[in-house]
Amino acid sequence: MNDLLARPQKEEIKRAFEELTKPESSREKLKHAALNGRLHSTPERGANIAGRSIAWKIFLVPGDPLPTTPVSLQAIQETLRDLRGRYISLLLEYMKAPDGSYEESFRPPGLTVPPKKAPKASNINTNNPLSLHEENPWKQWFEAVELRKTILQDVERTFPEIPFFREPAVQTQLSSILFLYSVMNPSIGYRQGMHELLAPLYHAVEYDSVSSPDDDNTSAFEQVCSRTWVAADSWILFDIVMKGVSRWYEWREQAETRTFLSSQIELDASNGQRQLKPYVAPIVQTCNQIQTTMLRTVDPLLWKHMHGIGIEPQIYGIRWLRLLFTREFDMTNAMRLWDGLFASDPSLELVPWICVAMLVRIRNQLIPTDYSGQLAALLHYPCLDSISQPGNVEHTLLLVRQALLIQSSPNPSTGATIVMENRVMLGIPVEVPNTQSPTEGRPSHLPRNKAASTTTSNSVGFGIRQPPSPLHLPELIARGLLERGESLGINKTVMSAVSELKVTIGDMQSEERAVEERPPWEPRTRFEVEREISQIRLNNKRMGEALRWIVDIMLQDENEAADKERLKMQKREALESLSHVRDVLLNHEVKLEEDRLFGEEEMNRRREVERAAAEKSNQQLHVNVAQPAPASVIDSRSHISTSRVVRPRSAPRSFGESVSPERAGNDGTTPPVLAPWNYTPSGFLKSNTNLTGAELPRRPPPTSSGGRQGSMKSEKHEQKSSDVAAQRKEGYWDPLGALG
């Protein structure tokens, strides 16, 4: 393991185990030690600390009924032994194919060789990979395989900055644990984000694991920290944690709560009438409760500003609750917070109150800013450090302590106490700045020794303010404009418009979010609907071509075929293609695979046709086409140039006019036409030489609408006719009016 090269010695893990399980230790004492940052006496190496998973097992695994009694190793060992056996039995049950076989790479804990194939007699008509029967077990097996592929895609992206999670063996174990949880909880299934909850648990258990013989003579320490049961122990801890977090992963109404009277009808106290109410996901209810009820009772001023601007609690609350703050803090700080959380409340009822404490901590960034500033602070929670003073605890453990205080006494007085505590331990000022930009809020939350070096003259911090530099004339003018705009209310209006524009642009950009990232209650966008329709049409076209090929193959008679073996092979391939088309049509989650729609021979033929068509199109693109010669045009600048000699040009012939010898060239030929709009040769006169001028079409007379407007149009037309006559007399003519 690349990330576990600094694995502690076995003696160090054993020392941490003995410290946590000594006779005078109890869950209550360990809880106080965790909240004060004194749970682990071993040196900390970032996220790695010896004995962390042992403490989590003591806090989470069911054991002593009373928190004041000493930790019972025997109860923990028996519980771990039973749950480890259950993990193996579940793996053997759900990883087995309907024919009784397992994958070659499948290795359950405690077994060095893959399990043998269990003979299973069944009806071939129903237990068949190609059977269309509704009770065919292979249908569920194929769905399970697709689910495992989806889980593996998320597992491969888990904490990309940590090399430990890039190991193929680690990814395989994480995928098996998540798959087992999803099949054991079909009402929830697998949801994106569960892999980020499992990863820290697996990391801690693996770090505290030791090699031990598999017999009954091993010590309690070797049994609890056995490396053989890393995956099983991780599944045990994950299953216990999910009992408190699973309600925030529910995205549809549970079957047991779908009663018409209990969940769909509520009584209106104002008029005594019953009204239908829609289903609201528990995660949405919790988020609304955090901001609307809890925060309002603790910090009314902060709630007023967030509610007035229109911040929706789901924007930040969904990620905070589902991932247990692993995105808001790095791995080291997140695992420290988990130490205090698991020690204080294994049921995780304290998590919403931790969210309230986090909001109160960054109130100086949320109150003075607009919508975009609040959104930036909530989605990119600032990383803080505790001031090095005796008695101070880590800032993540301080959140747990503050959450316990708020939970016991939710009122504004408690909120004021937390603000003063943040002032003393984190250096956060009590006074809220009047005006503050999103970037100016960061230095005010740094400790004193850091804020002194980063605080500017316009930011609120604990460093000594530098004297303002003298302003020059441009700066004085700019300040006067800003003050004038502030007095007239222009600046506020402009900033409000800019904020609304940012929100609108953000909404437009969020229309193309991935489906996994969008909450289930948000409707699909128009782009997604159009994309889905186009994809359905394309898939229908492909399946139609495949069905045409399948029908052609199945209608062939084997008795009349020249190569019977080849025809049999083609028919088997046609049945497999038909089975794939059936799966795609019945289950929309199955992806249409091009290689499974046709047989091997047919696919090769289609590829050759496509390759030949591509080569033909490439050859056509390389053919040299002769470019036509550009037509000559009249130089429109000739009549306005006084330094050049203007050569008179002959006016083009009128309709039916013959060429005179004077206007002909020296060789007696007709001069070339200078522009395509001047004259277009036609064979009309050659075939109609007897037509007179009276029989030819003439120009329609100018129209007049009467009055002043009609006379003006007539005068303009006469002026234009005289200009044309003058141009013809001088030897040039401008029919497009470019010279005028």
Side-chain angles (χ1 to χ4, degrees), residues 415-693:
T417 303
I418 292 175
V419 171
M420 294 301 299
E421 192 174 20
N422 292 333
R423 166 68 176 85
V424 175
M425 294 188 175
L426 301 178
I428 301 176
V430 178
E431 299 80 9
V432 179
N434 295 328
T435 58
Q436 183 181 14
S437 63
T439 57
E440 290 175 353
R442 298 290 177 89
S444 64
H445 288 74
L446 294 176
R448 296 185 181 182
N449 55 352
K450 294 185 179 181
S453 60
T454 58
T455 304
T456 60
S457 60
N458 294 330
S459 62
V460 179
F462 288 92
I464 300 176
R465 292 180 179 267
Q466 300 294 334
S469 58
L471 300 179
H472 300 286
L473 181 60
E475 298 174 351
L476 291 174
I477 295 175
R479 172 173 290 186
L481 292 176
L482 289 176
E483 293 177 354
R484 184 64 175 172
E486 187 70 27
S487 62
L488 296 177
I490 299 176
N491 296 348
K492 185 176 181 181
T493 304
V494 173
M495 294 305 297
S496 300
V498 172
S499 302
E500 292 296 333
L501 181 60
K502 289 182 180 180
V503 175
T504 304
I505 293 176
D507 294 340
M508 294 174 61
Q509 293 177 350
S510 64
E511 288 184 354
E512 291 298 321
R513 289 188 298 174
V515 179
E516 296 82 3
E517 299 178 358
R518 188 180 63 242
W521 58 86
E522 182 177 322
R524 294 189 301 172
T525 61
R526 176 174 58 86
F527 303 100
E528 294 177 351
V529 175
E530 293 178 354
R531 189 187 302 114
E532 181 180 359
I533 293 175
S534 61
Q535 185 64 32
I536 291 175
R537 292 177 178 175
L538 180 60
N539 291 345
N540 290 341
K541 182 179 179 181
R542 292 177 179 175
M543 290 188 290
E545 295 176 355
L547 291 176
R548 180 175 58 186
W549 172 76
I550 292 172
V551 171
D552 293 341
I553 293 297
M554 299 303 295
L555 289 179
Q556 297 183 19
D557 191 0
E558 297 182 2
N559 298 328
E560 299 178 359
D563 191 351
K564 296 183 179 180
E565 295 297 330
R566 175 172 170 271
L567 182 57
K568 289 181 179 180
M569 182 182 300
Q570 289 180 347
K571 287 190 175 183
R572 286 196 297 270
E573 293 175 346
L575 285 176
E576 293 177 0
S577 301
L578 183 61
S579 175
H580 180 59
V581 173
R582 176 207 63 190
D583 295 339
V584 172
L585 293 176
L586 292 179
N587 190 357
H588 298 288
E589 297 180 357
V590 177
K591 184 179 180 181
L592 184 64
E593 300 180 9
E594 189 73 21
D595 296 339
R596 297 180 61 183
L597 290 178
F598 304 95
E600 183 178 359
E601 182 178 351
E602 180 67 15
M603 276 304 297
N604 294 334
R605 186 189 67 81
R606 288 176 173 269
R607 290 171 182 170
E608 290 294 334
V609 172
E610 293 177 358
R611 189 180 299 108
E615 293 177 355
K616 184 177 180 181
S617 61
N618 292 334
Q619 293 177 359
Q620 293 178 356
L621 291 176
H622 290 82
V623 175
N624 296 327
V625 181
Q627 298 292 336
S632 59
V633 297
I634 297 176
D635 188 3
S636 61
R637 298 170 295 177
S638 59
H639 80 291
I640 60 176
S641 177
T642 58
S643 61
R644 297 182 181 179
V645 179
V646 180
R647 178 177 299 175
R649 298 181 180 179
S650 301
R653 291 171 291 170
S654 302
F655 190 78
E657 180 182 358
S658 60
V659 182
S660 61
E662 295 81 3
R663 297 174 60 182
N666 297 331
D667 54 356
T669 60
T670 305
V673 179
L674 299 179
W677 54 75
N678 290 338
Y679 174 69
T680 303
S682 174
F684 179 79
L685 292 180
K686 295 182 180 180
S687 59
N688 300 277
T689 56
N690 297 327
L691 294 177
T692 62

Side-chain angles (χ1 to χ4, degrees), residues 4 10 13 27 76 109 129 147 168 218 233 236 242 249 262 326 449 470 472 490 512 533 539 576 588 591 594 695:
L4 296 180
K10 186 175 181 179
I13 302 176
R27 294 177 185 267
I76 295 177
L147 176 60
T218 57
D233 292 350
I236 294 171
M242 285 302 299
Y249 281 94
S262 61
T326 55
N449 55 352
H472 300 286
I490 299 176
E512 291 298 321
I533 293 175
N539 291 345
E576 293 177 0
H588 298 288
K591 184 179 180 181
E594 189 73 21
E695 298 174 349

Side-chain angles (χ1 to χ4, degrees), residues 151-368:
I151 294 174
L152 183 59
Q153 292 177 357
D154 289 343
V155 169
E156 291 175 349
R157 299 192 296 265
T158 303
F159 295 108
E161 70 278 4
I162 301 179
F164 171 73
F165 297 107
R166 308 280 74 77
E167 296 290 337
V170 176
Q171 294 179 356
T172 301
Q173 296 295 342
L174 294 177
S175 301
S176 300
I177 296 173
L178 293 172
F179 169 72
L180 191 59
Y181 177 82
S182 62
V183 296
M184 291 299 298
N185 299 271
S187 61
I188 300 175
Y190 170 75
R191 307 296 295 172
Q192 192 176 25
M194 293 181 179
H195 61 289
E196 297 193 21
L197 282 178
L198 174 62
L201 298 172
Y202 189 92
H203 186 278
V205 174
E206 174 67 30
Y207 189 77
D208 290 335
S209 61
V210 295
S211 300
S212 60
D214 296 334
D215 52 31
D216 297 335
N217 297 327
T218 57
S219 61
F221 161 67
E222 292 176 340
Q223 292 181 10
V224 174
C225 301
S226 176
R227 189 167 300 168
T228 305
W229 305 104
V230 170
D233 292 350
S234 302
W235 171 78
I236 294 171
L237 295 179
F238 178 74
D239 186 68
I240 296 174
V241 171
M242 285 302 299
K243 290 180 180 178
V245 184
S246 60
R247 61 183 182 274
W248 297 324
Y249 281 94
E250 295 178 5
W251 54 279
R252 57 186 176 184
E253 190 174 7
Q254 301 297 323
E256 56 270 13
T257 60
R258 293 176 186 172
T259 58
F260 184 77
L261 294 178
S262 61
S263 64
Q264 298 298 326
I265 293 182
E266 64 177 357
L267 184 63
D268 190 357
S270 61
N271 51 17
Q273 297 180 357
R274 294 182 177 181
Q275 298 178 354
L276 290 176
K277 64 176 182 178
Y279 170 74
V280 180
I283 182 67
V284 180
Q285 297 178 4
T286 306
C287 291
N288 293 331
Q289 186 179 8
I290 289 174
Q291 182 170 314
T292 305
T293 305
M294 298 180 178
L295 181 63
R296 187 176 184 178
T297 58
V298 175
D299 196 337
L301 180 61
L302 176 57
W303 170 83
K304 179 181 178 181
H305 283 79
M306 295 184 66
H307 181 73
I309 289 179
I311 289 291
E312 294 292 337
Q314 296 87 352
I315 297 177
Y316 60 91
I318 290 178
R319 192 174 71 179
W320 291 10
L321 296 173
R322 285 184 174 177
L323 304 184
L324 290 183
F325 318 107
T326 55
R327 290 282 185 91
E328 280 56 53
F329 308 104
D330 56 3
M331 176 72 80
T332 303
N333 289 314
M335 296 177 82
R336 289 173 183 169
L337 188 146
W338 285 14
D339 289 339
L341 176 61
F342 295 159
S344 304
D345 185 12
S347 63
L348 305 184
E349 297 290 340
L350 187 65
V351 174
W353 297 103
I354 296 179
C355 297
V356 177
M358 292 175 63
L359 293 175
V360 174
R361 176 172 292 183
I362 60 173
R363 66 192 308 270
N364 288 358
Q365 288 185 345
L366 298 176
I367 293 177

